[in-house]
């Protein structure tokens, strides 16, 4: 499959996922869930994917990406239909399916782009893929927010369910014929995840990736709660989250230029610093214009990191284990997505969402110290 087709698949899937995540969160709030209970539902988006992502990556290294992509889209479709059940249990089950489905298609598409690009055009290829992700980061929450206000949660889930259905139709038309077999890692050896963590260049990339992903995921989880606490409507919350997505889109237009001016570690350090700064001041504002501006700046910072990280993973992963390496990154991300909503939801219930923003700002500041040490080596 060519890059435009892969981008189309990820846009459809991620729009359904990002819109579905917002709708799940607001649905759990609407039926009376406490911040802790909402956090549990949201954490289920990542719990099972955390346990399966490394195995899924190894599966793709052995078998290619078509079958995982097919399974992913079927799971997303089932999740959005199951979310029509207006109970915390139904929303939780939908979250599990939704999280697993998006984990699979994320691994599959990124692995396909990595194998289909060269060292010379890999950063550009990942930046183009990331642009598609940014477009869906804008579209998903905005569509969900306006549909919830206009037609309700059930119709929102039904409209979002049409997107993986379209992606399934596209996948059926694009099924590759005679694709070359994946490159085996090392014949006669059993891959061990510990080997990847002992590989110092890859380990450094994974640590910084986990920190920045925490910054991304905190916004998608806490912003609906923060917006509801200060009295924003669902459509306004969607617009604020859409402004974040717009920031990621804008910065990714300039990734090839940034990669010529700055090293990967310089870009990642800038992303950490900007994200920490925004989270420090975000709880101090409740005016919609200020929240839109801060969300956009946050998108600029976090959006600059992903193409650099995915390119670095492809460059530093051992031969034949790129899918597994992307799976390890997904495992770390999903671990934070599992723990953060529950932990920060409990903190938010006790002392307010402002403390949650400030706690993560401090953690991101620690990431700057880590990068400084990497550069000194």
């Amino acid at each position: 499959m060519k890059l435009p087709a892969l981008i189309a698949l990820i846009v459809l899937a991620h729009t359904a996922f990002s819109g579905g995540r917002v709708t799940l969160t607001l649905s759990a709030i609407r039926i009376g869930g406490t911040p802790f209970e909402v956090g549990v539902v949201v954490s289920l988006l990542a719990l099972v994917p955390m346990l399966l992502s490394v195995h899924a990556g190894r599966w793709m290294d052995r078998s290619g990406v078509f079958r995982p992509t097919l399974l992913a889209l079927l799971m997303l479709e089932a999740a959005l239909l199951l979310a029509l059940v207006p109970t915390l249990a139904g929303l939780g089950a939908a979250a599990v399916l939704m999280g697993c489905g998006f984990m699979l298609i994320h691994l599959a598409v990124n692995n396909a782009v990595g194998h289909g690009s060269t060292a010379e055009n890999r950063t550009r290829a990942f930046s183009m893929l990331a642009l598609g992700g940014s477009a869906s980061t804008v579209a998903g929450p905005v569509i969900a927010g306006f549909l919830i206000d206009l037609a309700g949660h059930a119709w929102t889930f039904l409209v979002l369910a049409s997107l993986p259905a379209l992606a399934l139709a596209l996948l059926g038309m694009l099924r590759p014929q005679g694709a070359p077999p994946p490159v085996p890692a090392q014949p006669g050896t059993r891959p061990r995840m510990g080997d990847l963590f002992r590989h110092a260049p890859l380990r450094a990339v994974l640590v910084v990736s986990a920190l920045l992903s925490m910054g991304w995921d905190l916004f998608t989880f806490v912003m609906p709660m923060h917006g509801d606490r200060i009295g924003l409507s669902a459509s306004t919350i969607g617009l604020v989250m859409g402004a974040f997505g717009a920031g990621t889109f804008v910065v990714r237009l300039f990734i090839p230029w940034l990669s010529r001016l700055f090293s990967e570690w310089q870009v990642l350090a800038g992303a950490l610093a900007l994200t920490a700064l925004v989270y420090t001041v975000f709880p101090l504002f409740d005016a919609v214009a200020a929240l839109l501006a801060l969300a956009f700046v946050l998108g600029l910072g976090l959006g600059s990191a992903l193409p650099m990280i995915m390119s670095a993973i492809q460059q530093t992963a051992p031969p034949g284990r790129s899918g597994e390496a992307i799976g390890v990154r997904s495992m770390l991300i999903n671990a934070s997505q599992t723990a953060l909503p529950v932990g920060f939801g409990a903190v938010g219930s006790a002392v307010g969402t402002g403390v949650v923003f400030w706690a993560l700002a401090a953690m991101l500041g620690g990431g700057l110290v880590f990068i400084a040490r990497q550069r000194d080596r």
Side-chain angles (χ1 to χ4, degrees), residues 198-218:
R198 283 189 287 269
H199 189 55
L202 179 60
R203 182 176 65 243
V205 175
L206 292 173
V207 169
V208 175
S209 171
L211 285 171
L212 288 167
S213 296
M214 287 170 62
W216 188 299
D217 295 323
L218 175 72

Side-chain angles (χ1 to χ4, degrees), residues 18 22 134-143 145-146 219-220 223 234-250 291-292 295-296 299:
S18 60
V22 172
S134 296
S136 55
T137 300
V138 176
V142 172
I143 290 171
F146 277 99
F219 184 76
T220 60
M223 181 56 220
S235 56
T236 302
I237 292 171
L239 283 175
V240 173
M241 299 184 74
F244 169 78
T248 69
F249 184 87
V250 169
L291 295 176
L292 288 169
F296 181 81

Side-chain angles (χ1 to χ4, degrees), residues 100-190:
C100 288
F102 185 70
M103 176 270 292
L104 279 174
I105 196 165
H106 172 76
L107 296 186
V109 170
N110 277 278
N111 205 25
V113 170
H115 282 295
S117 57
T118 64
E120 291 75 22
N121 66 10
R122 185 166 291 131
T123 299
R124 181 180 180 278
F126 276 115
S127 67
M128 295 296 294
L129 182 66
L131 279 172
S134 296
S136 55
T137 300
V138 176
V142 172
I143 290 171
F146 277 99
L147 280 174
I148 289 170
D149 283 344
L150 291 173
H153 294 77
W155 277 105
T156 302
F157 282 124
L158 285 172
V159 172
L160 292 173
S162 68
L163 301 178
L166 288 174
L168 281 166
L170 175 62
L171 184 66
M173 294 186 291
L174 295 172
R175 179 168 186 167
Q177 301 295 328
V183 179
Q186 292 182 355
T189 63
R190 182 178 180 180

Side-chain angles (χ1 to χ4, degrees), residues 15 102 105 138 146 197 287 326 334 366 377:
T15 300
F102 185 70
I105 196 165
V138 176
F146 277 99
F197 282 107
I326 299 173
N334 286 317
R377 292 181 179 180

Side-chain angles (χ1 to χ4, degrees), residues 69-356:
T69 302
L70 175 62
L71 178 60
L73 294 173
L74 290 172
M75 294 177 79
L76 282 172
E77 183 72 20
L80 290 164
L81 295 177
L82 181 59
L84 294 171
V85 179
T87 64
L88 286 174
L91 295 176
V96 171
L97 283 173
M98 192 182 300
C100 288
F102 185 70
M103 176 270 292
L104 279 174
I105 196 165
H106 172 76
L107 296 186
V109 170
N110 277 278
N111 205 25
V113 170
H115 282 295
S117 57
T118 64
E120 291 75 22
N121 66 10
R122 185 166 291 131
T123 299
R124 181 180 180 278
F126 276 115
S127 67
M128 295 296 294
L129 182 66
L131 279 172
S134 296
S136 55
T137 300
V138 176
V142 172
I143 290 171
F146 277 99
L147 280 174
I148 289 170
D149 283 344
L150 291 173
H153 294 77
W155 277 105
T156 302
F157 282 124
L158 285 172
V159 172
L160 292 173
S162 68
L163 301 178
L166 288 174
L168 281 166
L170 175 62
L171 184 66
M173 294 186 291
L174 295 172
R175 179 168 186 167
Q177 301 295 328
V183 179
Q186 292 182 355
T189 63
R190 182 178 180 180
R192 295 180 298 178
M193 185 171 58
D195 297 334
L196 298 181
F197 282 107
R198 283 189 287 269
H199 189 55
L202 179 60
R203 182 176 65 243
V205 175
L206 292 173
V207 169
V208 175
S209 171
L211 285 171
L212 288 167
S213 296
M214 287 170 62
W216 188 299
D217 295 323
L218 175 72
F219 184 76
T220 60
F221 165 63
V222 177
M223 181 56 220
M225 293 178 59
H226 182 69
D228 183 72
R229 184 181 67 82
I230 63 177
L232 300 182
S233 66
S235 56
T236 302
I237 292 171
L239 283 175
V240 173
M241 299 184 74
F244 169 78
T248 69
F249 184 87
V250 169
V251 75
R252 286 167 180 173
L253 292 172
F254 298 95
I255 288 296
W257 177 73
L258 287 173
S259 65
R260 289 194 297 269
L261 291 179
F262 304 102
S263 70
E264 290 174 346
W265 285 114
Q266 287 174 325
V267 174
L268 295 176
L272 283 169
L274 190 58
T275 303
L277 177 62
V278 171
Y279 278 153
T280 300
V281 301
F282 198 91
L284 306 179
F285 296 91
D286 56 12
V288 173
L291 295 176
L292 288 169
L294 288 170
F296 181 81
V297 173
L298 183 66
L300 293 177
L302 290 173
S304 66
L306 181 60
M308 302 293 185
I309 287 171
M310 297 310 301
S311 178
I313 288 176
Q314 289 289 334
Q315 294 171 19
T316 57
R321 300 183 70 181
S322 60
E324 184 183 359
I326 299 173
V328 170
R329 174 183 178 269
S330 180
M331 179 195 70
L332 295 174
I333 293 170
N334 286 317
S336 71
Q337 289 175 344
T338 301
L340 286 182
V342 176
F344 284 163
V347 172
S349 297
V351 295
T353 53
V355 175
V356 175

